[in-house]
Amino acid sequence: MATVIITSAHELSATQRTEAEKIASKKLGHSNFEVQTVIDASLIGGITMQIGSKMYDASLRGQLESLRR
Amino acid sequence: MEIDVRAILAQMLNFGLLTAVLTYFLLKPIKSVLEARSRRIAEGQQAAEDALAEKAKIGEIKTKAEKDAKQEAKNILASARQEADARREELMAVAKADVEAAKAKMLKNLDKEKAAEVQVWQKQFEAIVLQVSEQLVGESLDAKKHAKLIDQGLQRIASSK
């Protein structure tokens, strides 16, 4: 079973969680996965999703880091 | 006047004998002496001519040797000059290449140092900007803005590969 880790700076709403699960299902190509949610204030804002071995970063911290690079 | 035939004949005989004696004892040695003298003169002349020819020949050889020596000296000088010019050009080229290499190395080092210094300043500047941005953004986000950022993030993740 695959694991999906959803990290955000603020708690997700039920709608947002459902939407995140839909995205994970679409990316994996199946619905057989476990979801873990993490609150991390260091992200500043936005969300990151680790779907299987791939990391998707849509956080403000990530954007600032990419600016630094 | 009577002609004494016997006296005339005796005189003739006397003259003939004298001529024969003189021819035998005087003319032959004188002739041989003269011939020897002529021979010596001819030999002397020949020797003088030979000596003159030899002298002329030696003069020619000397002139030729002088000419050859001068030409050889000229050739040696030209060759030495040419060699010196080539050596000078070679040394100049080597020196020029060394100078260019040293210059390039110095410029490269300067560029490297400059780039390293710029990179350090850039990193410090980025760190400061990032720190200030984090602080400003973190302080200004409320629950609504967080929710909006999460929605936007989800859209971005959905559209990314």
Side-chain angles (χ1 to χ4, degrees), chain B residues 43-125:
Chain B
E43 282 172 1
Q45 277 181 341
Q46 187 61 46
E49 280 173 12
D50 289 349
L52 281 172
E54 189 69 21
K55 190 184 172 188
K57 200 174 171 185
I58 288 168
E60 276 175 23
I61 289 168
K62 189 183 167 189
T63 307
K64 191 174 181 298
E66 279 175 1
K67 198 178 167 185
D68 288 351
K70 276 182 186 172
Q71 186 60 43
E72 197 176 340
K74 204 174 169 182
N75 289 345
I76 289 168
L77 194 67
S79 173
R81 196 170 285 159
Q82 202 174 358
E83 203 175 322
D85 285 348
R87 183 74 183 140
R88 192 186 64 217
E89 291 291 328
E90 195 181 323
L91 287 173
M92 285 289 284
V94 169
K96 200 174 172 185
D98 285 350
V99 167
E100 288 296 326
K103 193 177 159 187
K105 196 177 172 185
M106 200 164 30
L107 284 173
K108 198 177 171 185
N109 285 340
L110 275 175
D111 284 347
K112 210 184 270 183
E113 283 174 19
K114 198 176 163 185
E117 207 172 319
V118 166
Q119 207 172 3
V120 168
W121 280 104
Q122 204 172 356
K123 276 186 178 172
Q124 286 178 356
F125 180 72

Side-chain angles (χ1 to χ4, degrees), chain A residues 8-12 16 19-20 23 27 44-49 54 56-58 60-61 63-65 67-68, chain B residues 126-127 130 133-134 137-138 141-143 146-161:
Chain A
S8 59
H10 195 261
E11 202 173 346
L12 297 178
Q16 284 169 336
E19 180 63 22
I23 291 166
K27 297 279 184 197
I44 307 168
I47 187 170
T48 66
M49 286 179 74
K54 199 163 181 184
Y56 297 88
D57 191 345
L60 282 182
R61 173 102 198 163
Q63 286 176 47
L64 287 170
E65 288 292 340
L67 275 179
R68 184 201 290 230
Chain B
E126 284 169 2
L130 192 64
S133 304
E134 282 172 6
V137 171
L141 288 178
D142 55 13
H146 269 299
K148 193 178 176 186
L149 281 170
I150 289 168
D151 287 339
Q152 286 172 349
L154 286 169
Q155 280 174 14
R156 277 179 54 200
I157 292 169
S159 61
S160 66
K161 287 183 180 176

Side-chain angles (χ1 to χ4, degrees), chain A residues 4-60:
Chain A
V4 176
I5 302 170
I6 303 169
T7 309
S8 59
H10 195 261
E11 202 173 346
L12 297 178
S13 66
T15 317
Q16 284 169 336
R17 188 187 162 95
T18 309
E19 180 63 22
E21 285 173 0
K22 274 187 194 171
I23 291 166
S25 173
K26 199 173 173 185
K27 297 279 184 197
L28 286 169
H30 59 81
S31 304
N32 188 19
F33 56 85
E34 182 191 10
V35 177
Q36 291 176 16
T37 53
V38 180
I39 304 297
D40 183 0
S42 73
L43 288 186
I44 307 168
I47 187 170
T48 66
M49 286 179 74
Q50 187 171 344
I51 303 170
S53 60
K54 199 163 181 184
M55 183 71 177
Y56 297 88
D57 191 345
S59 68
L60 282 182

